[in-house]
Amino acid sequence: LKKIFVFISFLFFNGPGIFKVEAATKSSAEVSATVVSINSVVPLIDLNFGTIIPAATSGTVTVTPINNNTDTRSKTGNLVLAGSDYSAGKFIVKGNGNFYTVDVSPGEITIKNSSNQTMTVNNFTIQSDDYAPGNSQHFRFNNGYGHFKVGARLNVNANQQAGFYEGTYSVIVALH
């Protein structure tokens, strides 16, 4: 109680000058929004195989999507899976239908690093809130929305060159 009284006394006896603003600065920041049409698909999370340490022999890394749970990552060969920075791709669909189908095209893609070294990605799988993984399935909308995840297998070459590899795959969503 004594400390509060002393502090209040200080404010009272020193008057309003204690709150004087000596200098002010101004700043601005960007603001943005994306509005999508009713029948659209929006990517939320990228498909990411995470950090991989290559081996003298080739191997594979597979990201398996699991809805409402942590996705899994597995390997073949002598590769080392480092860290936990992997994820299945995640999308949201907004539509005016009873159900939708999803397919990934093409069935195999090539990803590259800045030195044009490559790896292939294939065996894409799709997981939705209502069904098990598969390449092309029917999924039901829930109040006009649907969510699905995409997993795949990465083919890592023997002694794969280090670097950040990236590429693009397409999801094809048909509304029914």
Side-chain angles (χ1 to χ4, degrees):
L1 185 63
K2 190 173 185 179
K3 288 183 184 179
I4 294 173
F5 178 76
V6 171
F7 179 70
I8 293 172
S9 298
F10 176 76
L11 291 177
F12 179 77
F13 291 114
N14 285 301
I18 194 167
F19 296 108
K20 183 178 176 186
V21 175
E22 295 295 326
T25 61
K26 181 178 178 181
S27 180
S28 61
E30 298 292 322
V31 62
S32 66
T34 301
V35 178
V36 298
S37 66
I38 293 294
N39 296 322
S40 59
V41 59
V42 178
L44 300 176
I45 299 173
D46 290 334
L47 173 58
N48 180 359
F49 292 95
T51 303
I52 303 160
I53 301 171
T57 57
S58 62
T60 64
V61 177
T62 300
V63 172
T64 304
I66 300 175
N67 278 337
N68 301 320
N69 291 306
T70 303
D71 304 320
T72 62
R73 179 173 66 159
S74 59
K75 68 171 181 97
T76 64
N78 292 324
L79 304 173
V80 175
L81 304 178
S84 60
D85 59 339
Y86 63 91
S87 63
K90 186 173 182 180
F91 297 81
I92 186 170
V93 180
K94 173 67 176 148
N96 285 337
N98 294 323
F99 65 93
Y100 60 98
T101 56
V102 179
D103 200 8
V104 177
S105 179
E108 180 173 289
I109 65 166
T110 300
I111 60 175
K112 297 179 181 182
N113 70 4
S114 61
S115 300
N116 284 324
Q117 298 297 308
T118 63
M119 291 187 282
T120 59
V121 178
N122 56 16
N123 289 4
F124 288 94
T125 59
I126 300 162
Q127 171 71 33
S128 181
D129 294 338
D130 297 323
Y131 295 94
N135 288 335
S136 182
Q137 299 177 20
H138 290 43
F139 304 111
R140 289 179 277 168
F141 283 109
N142 183 5
N143 295 320
Y145 291 93
H147 293 84
F148 65 91
K149 290 183 174 183
V150 176
R153 179 179 67 193
L154 172 68
N155 299 288
V156 182
N157 301 312
N159 300 310
Q160 185 74 49
Q161 182 181 13
F164 179 77
Y165 290 75
E166 59 186 341
T168 303
Y169 67 100
S170 297
V171 293
I172 301 164
V173 177
L175 307 176
H176 304 277

